[in-house]
Structure formats: C-alpha cells, structure tokens
Amino acid sequence: MSIKKQKVAIVPCSGIGKSFGTVGREAAYELCENLRPDDTQLVALSKLVLGDSAAREIVGRNPTVTIDGCKMMCAAKMVKQSGGTIAREATVFDAFRRHKNLKPEGIAELNEAGLKLAKVLAEELADAVAEINNLEAVKGERHD
Amino acid sequence: MTELPKRKAGIVACSGEELPEGTVTRLAALEVLHELRPNDTVTICLPLFLAGGEEDRTFARFYPTITIDGCELRCAARATEMHSAKPAASIVVNDIVAECGLGKPEGRRRLNEAGKQAANVIAERVAALVDEALGTKGRPTASDEGAATPNKQRKTEATCSCGSGIPVLNLFIDGKVVEMAALPLIFQKFHEAGRAPDEAAAQELLEAVKVYNYVPPEDEQSYREAIIKEYAAYRERESKP
C-alpha cells in the first residue's frame, strides 16, 4: 500500500478594504505556519487572478480550502474559475457570527479580538485539513 | 455647474500572501489610503476584476490606477491591464528595495524593520504618483495648513470599492455600443440639481463624461446627442411616481 500525501492548498481572499480580509490572511498564516505546516500550502490569490499556470496546477491537483473576508467570495470564485476543487469554503463573517465577542478592527494591524478570531478560525480549519487528509487517504487506499 | 464626483486615484496592491514583499505592498497601499492621501485615493481588491461584476472591471478606466507588486510576476499590474485597463503607473517592491539600497524584507506575517521601511518608502513613492496622476503636484499639503502630521492629509476613512464598483451605462452611438463609466452617477447629480435636458446641460454633461471617459474629438457631436437623449429618458423614468 502506498499513500501519496497531498498538501491542502490554502487560499485566503487578499481583502484589503476591511478588517475581515486581514483576519482571513492572518488565519491562513496561522494555519500554514503553525498548525498544519506539513499538510498545507499557501497559494497567493493574485496568481490565480493572473492565471499563473503553477498556481492553477496547485489548486487543480490538490483539495483546496478558501478563506473569504466578504460576501464577494473572491477566493472561492477564483479557485472554481481556475479549475480547482474546494474541499472547504470558509468565511470570516461566519466565524464572527459564531464568536460575536471577537469583533475585528483594524486592517494594517488587527486588534486583539481580530487576532483571536483569526486563531479560532485557523483552529477550525486545522481540523478541516485533518478531515480532508483522512478522506484523501481513504480514497488513496481504495485506488491501491 | 453641477458638482461632480471628485476624481481620485486607484491603488491596487498584489497583496501576495506567499512572500514578505506581498505584505509590503499591502502595508504601503494602506499607508497611502489611510494616511498619506486618504481624500484622493480609493482601492479595490485585485480578485474583484474577475470575481466581481462589470462595474468592478471599470475600476482602472475610471480611476487612474497605480499598482504595487511584490515580485517580478507583477500580478497586480498585469491583471489590472488584462481585466480592467492599463495602470497609470506601477511599482515593484524589489525594484525600489534595490534602488534605495534597503535591506531585504522578511516575515510575511510580521514584517521585519527592513520590510516596514520598504513599505514606508514605497508609500511615499505612490503618494507622489497619486499627485502626478491627479495633477495635484505641488498643492499645499495638510502640513502646510497646520495639521500635526507633516506631509500627510487629515486622516479619514479609506474608501474601499469592494462590491460597490463604478456604475456604467452603455449608449448606442454611431452604430456602436459605447460603455460610459460614471454616467449614471453624472445623470443623478444633474437630476438632483434640477437640470432640464437642454442645450446647456448637453454641453456640461459631455464635459463631465470626458473627465472619466475618452471621447474622440471628431465624435463629440454624436456623443453629446446620445448623452442628452439618454439623460432626457433618465429624467422621465426618475420623475414617474
């Protein structure tokens, strides 16, 4: 039995106009740098907007987690347009609805609540990454 | 003359999440938007050119746009040109870092001192490009007017265009469909000012349209006629109970 381990692509939205965009970015870093560094790969959304072939290949070949800051859902839309498969579509707003005590403020620099919200979201997504990897492993076993 | 929306410069940062230079672009853009030129600038998230609507894709046609890229891929500059219009100017972080002999930015999540310095230098550079694009070079800054922060305008909310976009209207002129940026907004302003669709309004409308759109000099008469006809129709629609 050989299971080829896939990395989950993480695509945050690049939102620059609102605090929620910064929370998404921060959550992506927390997830990729601290919580699941061996299982994830961060993909810059701007590359998908440009149509960069390497970035398209990563989201095309790997299960992808998108993190969006607003209802425009740029990250999710761009991954779909790039031929990727979204394994988990997360939004900062939904996370905030679940944790209303953590109201993010600031864009260049998040307030304490914003940083906490990012951490909470990253922890939820770390579980999602583990689930996705388990599913992928089962799929891999079936193919062997 | 009817007061029209203020002309602003658009700032588009690549925000590249993978590299520290991407974070530099983001912080530089925010410094311009929030502190250096808050009254003269507006931004849009780069992905909206594709993920948004036609109004979002009008952004760089409506606003003279300055792009800030982290690396030589130049995603912001190239994608802006591909999906909206050619930027008025573009900056690449690595070029400025090399040109000014700055240290290498490190820490995509939390920038090191060199990264912060690069963001400041680039923000100043972009602010100068904003002045150039808007033709406001040399005008008094907030510091000249006695504000506490030198070379900075008074801090206000930065304008984010996400999801709002630039309203456009398509007109049929000389057998062609021509997209007019900001025309709905211009109509609204004229209507609110109680302007009747007469000859004087026709000329002023054309002048207002020319602020945001290219009008070929030889076609001005056709444009004027199409615009005043559409404005009359707009007034009629708006006047209905």
Side-chain angles (χ1 to χ4, degrees):
Chain A
M1 184 182 75
S2 67
I3 299 171
K4 193 179 174 188
K5 193 175 177 187
Q6 279 188 314
K7 285 204 172 193
V8 176
I10 308 297
V11 186
C13 80
S14 302
I16 195 169
K18 302 175 183 80
S19 301
F20 283 3
T22 306
V23 172
R25 186 182 182 93
E26 178 71 16
Y29 286 140
E30 176 68 14
L31 180 61
C32 296
E33 291 178 359
N34 294 341
L35 301 178
R36 292 284 182 272
D38 299 328
D39 301 326
T40 56
Q41 180 174 3
L42 190 63
V43 177
L45 187 55
S46 53
K47 288 183 175 176
L48 294 179
V49 177
L50 186 64
D52 178 70
S53 55
R56 285 174 67 95
E57 193 178 332
I58 293 169
V59 299
R61 284 192 176 185
N62 299 286
T64 300
V65 170
T66 57
I67 310 173
D68 273 298
C70 79
K71 62 180 180 181
M72 298 307 290
M73 302 296 287
C74 291
K77 283 183 190 169
M78 285 313 309
V79 167
K80 285 173 195 162
Q81 282 186 33
S82 304
T85 306
I86 298 177
R88 174 73 179 263
E89 202 173 278
T91 68
V92 176
F93 191 70
D94 282 341
F96 174 58
R97 274 201 292 219
R98 292 191 295 274
H99 305 280
K100 283 194 175 146
N101 57 323
L102 302 177
K103 186 174 187 311
E105 281 173 7
I107 302 175
E109 212 168 311
L110 280 175
N111 64 349
E112 204 53 42
L115 290 170
K116 275 185 194 163
L117 183 63
K119 193 155 192 201
V120 167
L121 177 57
E123 282 163 359
E124 290 173 6
L125 292 176
D127 292 341
V129 166
E131 278 172 33
I132 292 163
N133 276 337
N134 286 339
L135 279 174
E136 292 296 319
V138 170
K139 277 188 205 167
E141 281 172 18
R142 281 185 190 149
H143 286 134
D144 285 338
Chain B
M1 174 87 185
T2 308
E3 194 187 331
L4 289 168
K6 189 176 183 255
R7 188 137 169 90
K8 294 187 176 193
I11 309 293
V12 179
C14 80
S15 282
E17 292 84 0
E18 293 174 28
L19 301 172
E21 287 84 353
T23 304
V24 172
T25 70
R26 185 179 172 82
L27 293 183
L30 288 169
E31 190 174 334
V32 177
L33 290 156
H34 287 192
E35 293 175 30
L36 298 181
R37 297 292 182 273
N39 304 323
D40 293 330
T41 52
V42 63
T43 190
I44 193 171
C45 304
L46 183 66
L48 271 178
F49 287 140
L50 282 182
E54 192 50 46
E55 297 88 349
D56 297 302
R57 284 184 278 280
T58 316
F59 186 86
R61 270 175 272 161
F62 187 83
Y63 301 113
T65 294
I66 297 148
T67 57
I68 315 173
D69 275 300
C71 72
E72 63 284 354
L73 263 181
R74 298 174 64 243
C75 294
R78 291 165 65 199
T80 299
E81 183 163 4
M82 274 166 66
H83 305 303
S84 187
K86 192 174 166 62
S90 45
I91 276 184
V92 179
V93 170
N94 289 339
D95 292 348
I96 305 293
V97 166
E99 185 188 316
C100 299
L102 304 174
K104 182 164 172 45
E106 302 279 4
R108 57 189 186 178
R109 192 176 184 183
R110 303 275 178 269
L111 284 177
N112 63 354
E113 277 311 308
K116 288 177 190 168
Q117 192 187 3
N120 290 336
V121 168
I122 288 163
E124 293 287 349
R125 192 72 67 96
V126 172
L129 288 169
V130 167
D131 296 344
E132 212 170 284
L134 298 177
T136 53
K137 211 172 182 179
R139 80 172 176 191
T141 61
S143 60
D144 298 325
E145 294 160 12
T149 317
N151 300 320
K152 292 180 180 181
Q153 294 180 352
R154 285 185 187 89
K155 188 168 178 175
T156 61
E157 282 294 304
T159 311
C160 165
S161 274
C162 299
S164 55
I166 317 300
V168 296
L169 191 64
N170 289 329
L171 293 189
F172 200 66
I173 303 173
D174 287 341
K176 285 181 290 185
V177 175
V178 180
E179 187 185 78
M180 298 275 188
L183 192 52
L185 212 52
I186 293 168
F187 280 175
Q188 188 190 335
K189 291 275 177 189
F190 273 67
H191 181 57
E192 283 168 4
R195 299 296 304 269
D198 53 21
E199 197 48 40
Q203 187 55 35
E204 283 186 31
L205 280 166
L206 179 68
E207 294 306 320
V209 162
K210 282 161 70 176
V211 174
Y212 307 104
N213 303 269
Y214 174 68
V215 175
E218 65 277 17
D219 295 336
E220 282 198 6
Q221 183 57 30
S222 311
Y223 274 65
R224 188 190 293 112
E225 284 168 12
I227 290 165
I228 197 67
K229 192 176 158 191
E230 187 63 32
Y231 178 57
Y234 171 88
R235 292 254 307 168
E236 205 177 311
R237 284 196 302 274
E238 290 298 308
S239 305
K240 278 182 186 164

